[in-house]
Amino acid sequence: MLETFYDVMRRQGISRRSFLKYCSLTAAALGLGPEFAGKIAHAMENKPRIPVLWLHGLECTCCSESFIRSAHPLAKDVVLSMVSLDYDDTIMAAAGQQAEAIIEETIQKYDGNFILAVEGNPPLNQEGMSCIIAGKPFVEQLTKVAKHCKAIISWGSCASYGCVQAAKPNPTKATPVHKIITDKPIIKVPGCPPIAEVMTAVVTYILTFERFPELDRQGRPKMFYSQRIHDKCYRRPHFDAGQFVESFDDEGARKGYCLYKMGCKGPTTYNACSTIRWNEGTSFPIQAGHGCIGCSEDGFWDKGSWYARLTDIPAFGVEANADKIGIAAAATVGTAIAAHAAMSAVKRAKSTQTTAAHDEPKQGA
């Protein structure tokens, strides 16, 4: 019988208090009310860990690096124990035939009841020879394991969209997972890499509710990908005021002005970077002084230079080029002031006329 997540935490020396704190923080990260912390705790205590086979195709392993650095819980070995991670060729002790035998054992023991996590994508050109796992093209391993899994998590932009491997001219024909596997439920968690807490929260949600969270039309969890980085960015007031960094390390950069003119893709990128942030909530690229490159969006490598500014970004409820926002804002304010002054003058004039008429002596008095 598989251990529960709570069993593993206790075995690792994690206190009951720390466990409940983790459940509360996870509920908050998922955008759930405080009452759901108890449900998460109950699931962790009673449900067995989910068997997971974590496969690697064309990628740089940044998703794994992000996953093991989750701040909640703090212990990376506990994060990895959240699931029964039966196979991950990057971090497992086994190698060669011993490692590959684990895949067969998991399929036989948990056929239709395990999660397939995929980091990277399969190349299809040259008969898939650009990515070989255990002497065979990765696409063969992927399709074989996918036939027996319950659902698939596409970690990162490589698995979700193709990322740099699929950038033009895409000589290996790197192909995202959902275009290869079409008969299984797939949740995409894009980013290069995804935020660590987003990854662990998705796993926790699946474990707790035994279903995927609500997804957007691209297959991403809405709880983390429903708002643009621009919407919650702390530099947004500078965008609205028309205050922009014109060149790196200029006076505007030192004052923390908006990075739109430096090519920031925050206005068109859906992710939780500006709210959850990175490294235990310490910072994110925009806070560090570099614009968002849009890494959680499809085809971001082929959408022009990272330093080329976007155009026609909505502001004040209308379509406007941000270059004109400052002038437009000033003109709007100036017009409003002028209009207010004119109305005040008219009111004063009417008031004066009324008073004068009242004070004039009536004829025959």
Side-chain angles (χ1 to χ4, degrees), residues 37 66 83 124 137 157 202 221 250 300 352 361:
S66 179
V83 295
L124 303 184
S157 294
V202 167
D250 67 2
F300 79 97
T352 301

PDB file of all heavy atoms in Angstrom, residues 37 66 83 124 137 157 202 221 250 300 352 361:
ATOM      1  N   ALA A  37      -8.364  24.630   3.527  1.00  0.00           N
ATOM      2  CA  ALA A  37      -7.128  24.122   4.139  1.00  0.00           C
ATOM      3  C   ALA A  37      -7.399  22.788   4.822  1.00  0.00           C
ATOM      4  O   ALA A  37      -6.589  21.858   4.755  1.00  0.00           O
ATOM      5  CB  ALA A  37      -6.575  25.132   5.133  1.00  0.00           C
ATOM      6  N   SER A  66      13.181  24.179 -11.078  1.00  0.00           N
ATOM      7  CA  SER A  66      12.198  25.032 -10.421  1.00  0.00           C
ATOM      8  C   SER A  66      11.385  24.246  -9.409  1.00  0.00           C
ATOM      9  O   SER A  66      11.176  24.680  -8.269  1.00  0.00           O
ATOM     10  CB  SER A  66      11.268  25.668 -11.464  1.00  0.00           C
ATOM     11  OG  SER A  66      10.292  26.484 -10.853  1.00  0.00           O
ATOM     12  N   VAL A  83       4.313  13.308  -4.385  1.00  0.00           N
ATOM     13  CA  VAL A  83       3.853  12.278  -5.315  1.00  0.00           C
ATOM     14  C   VAL A  83       4.770  11.067  -5.167  1.00  0.00           C
ATOM     15  O   VAL A  83       5.861  11.173  -4.612  1.00  0.00           O
ATOM     16  CB  VAL A  83       3.894  12.782  -6.776  1.00  0.00           C
ATOM     17  CG1 VAL A  83       2.917  13.917  -6.979  1.00  0.00           C
ATOM     18  CG2 VAL A  83       5.299  13.205  -7.177  1.00  0.00           C
ATOM     19  N   LEU A 124      10.200  15.087 -34.285  1.00  0.00           N
ATOM     20  CA  LEU A 124       9.663  14.091 -35.215  1.00  0.00           C
ATOM     21  C   LEU A 124      10.505  13.906 -36.468  1.00  0.00           C
ATOM     22  O   LEU A 124      10.398  12.879 -37.137  1.00  0.00           O
ATOM     23  CB  LEU A 124       8.228  14.472 -35.614  1.00  0.00           C
ATOM     24  CG  LEU A 124       7.227  14.640 -34.453  1.00  0.00           C
ATOM     25  CD1 LEU A 124       5.833  14.929 -35.004  1.00  0.00           C
ATOM     26  CD2 LEU A 124       7.207  13.417 -33.548  1.00  0.00           C
ATOM     27  N   PRO A 137      13.798   6.535 -29.956  1.00  0.00           N
ATOM     28  CA  PRO A 137      13.321   7.921 -30.014  1.00  0.00           C
ATOM     29  C   PRO A 137      12.365   8.217 -28.859  1.00  0.00           C
ATOM     30  O   PRO A 137      11.539   7.374 -28.497  1.00  0.00           O
ATOM     31  CB  PRO A 137      12.606   7.997 -31.369  1.00  0.00           C
ATOM     32  CG  PRO A 137      13.229   6.920 -32.180  1.00  0.00           C
ATOM     33  CD  PRO A 137      13.527   5.804 -31.219  1.00  0.00           C
ATOM     34  N   SER A 157       7.112  25.463 -21.030  1.00  0.00           N
ATOM     35  CA  SER A 157       6.755  25.856 -22.393  1.00  0.00           C
ATOM     36  C   SER A 157       7.242  24.871 -23.441  1.00  0.00           C
ATOM     37  O   SER A 157       6.698  24.814 -24.535  1.00  0.00           O
ATOM     38  CB  SER A 157       7.319  27.255 -22.687  1.00  0.00           C
ATOM     39  OG  SER A 157       6.675  28.221 -21.872  1.00  0.00           O
ATOM     40  N   VAL A 202      -0.521  22.818  -8.384  1.00  0.00           N
ATOM     41  CA  VAL A 202      -1.286  22.035  -9.353  1.00  0.00           C
ATOM     42  C   VAL A 202      -1.346  20.570  -8.917  1.00  0.00           C
ATOM     43  O   VAL A 202      -2.406  19.932  -8.950  1.00  0.00           O
ATOM     44  CB  VAL A 202      -0.671  22.159 -10.770  1.00  0.00           C
ATOM     45  CG1 VAL A 202      -1.250  21.106 -11.707  1.00  0.00           C
ATOM     46  CG2 VAL A 202      -0.925  23.551 -11.337  1.00  0.00           C
ATOM     47  N   PRO A 221      -4.228  26.173 -16.100  1.00  0.00           N
ATOM     48  CA  PRO A 221      -5.077  26.404 -14.928  1.00  0.00           C
ATOM     49  C   PRO A 221      -5.393  27.882 -14.748  1.00  0.00           C
ATOM     50  O   PRO A 221      -4.483  28.713 -14.633  1.00  0.00           O
ATOM     51  CB  PRO A 221      -4.243  25.853 -13.762  1.00  0.00           C
ATOM     52  CG  PRO A 221      -2.840  25.806 -14.266  1.00  0.00           C
ATOM     53  CD  PRO A 221      -2.918  25.582 -15.747  1.00  0.00           C
ATOM     54  N   ASP A 250      18.775  54.424 -17.225  1.00  0.00           N
ATOM     55  CA  ASP A 250      18.529  55.859 -17.274  1.00  0.00           C
ATOM     56  C   ASP A 250      17.804  56.279 -15.985  1.00  0.00           C
ATOM     57  O   ASP A 250      17.580  55.468 -15.085  1.00  0.00           O
ATOM     58  CB  ASP A 250      17.751  56.262 -18.524  1.00  0.00           C
ATOM     59  CG  ASP A 250      16.315  55.729 -18.536  1.00  0.00           C
ATOM     60  OD1 ASP A 250      15.905  55.082 -17.548  1.00  0.00           O
ATOM     61  OD2 ASP A 250      15.619  55.950 -19.533  1.00  0.00           O
ATOM     62  N   PHE A 300       6.584  32.273 -28.144  1.00  0.00           N
ATOM     63  CA  PHE A 300       7.208  33.549 -27.762  1.00  0.00           C
ATOM     64  C   PHE A 300       8.574  33.753 -28.401  1.00  0.00           C
ATOM     65  O   PHE A 300       9.040  34.879 -28.554  1.00  0.00           O
ATOM     66  CB  PHE A 300       7.290  33.670 -26.234  1.00  0.00           C
ATOM     67  CG  PHE A 300       8.406  32.904 -25.567  1.00  0.00           C
ATOM     68  CD1 PHE A 300       9.592  33.528 -25.232  1.00  0.00           C
ATOM     69  CD2 PHE A 300       8.264  31.554 -25.258  1.00  0.00           C
ATOM     70  CE1 PHE A 300      10.616  32.830 -24.597  1.00  0.00           C
ATOM     71  CE2 PHE A 300       9.272  30.853 -24.622  1.00  0.00           C
ATOM     72  CZ  PHE A 300      10.458  31.493 -24.293  1.00  0.00           C
ATOM     73  N   THR A 352     -24.277  85.882 -10.133  1.00  0.00           N
ATOM     74  CA  THR A 352     -24.158  87.335 -10.061  1.00  0.00           C
ATOM     75  C   THR A 352     -25.386  88.008 -10.657  1.00  0.00           C
ATOM     76  O   THR A 352     -25.941  88.970 -10.108  1.00  0.00           O
ATOM     77  CB  THR A 352     -22.896  87.813 -10.800  1.00  0.00           C
ATOM     78  OG1 THR A 352     -21.762  87.181 -10.193  1.00  0.00           O
ATOM     79  CG2 THR A 352     -22.744  89.326 -10.728  1.00  0.00           C
ATOM     80  N   PRO A 361     -34.421  97.788  -7.503  1.00  0.00           N
ATOM     81  CA  PRO A 361     -35.728  98.220  -7.005  1.00  0.00           C
ATOM     82  C   PRO A 361     -36.806  98.041  -8.058  1.00  0.00           C
ATOM     83  O   PRO A 361     -36.566  98.273  -9.237  1.00  0.00           O
ATOM     84  CB  PRO A 361     -35.521  99.711  -6.675  1.00  0.00           C
ATOM     85  CG  PRO A 361     -34.367 100.110  -7.544  1.00  0.00           C
ATOM     86  CD  PRO A 361     -33.490  98.927  -7.658  1.00  0.00           C
TER      87      PRO A 361
END
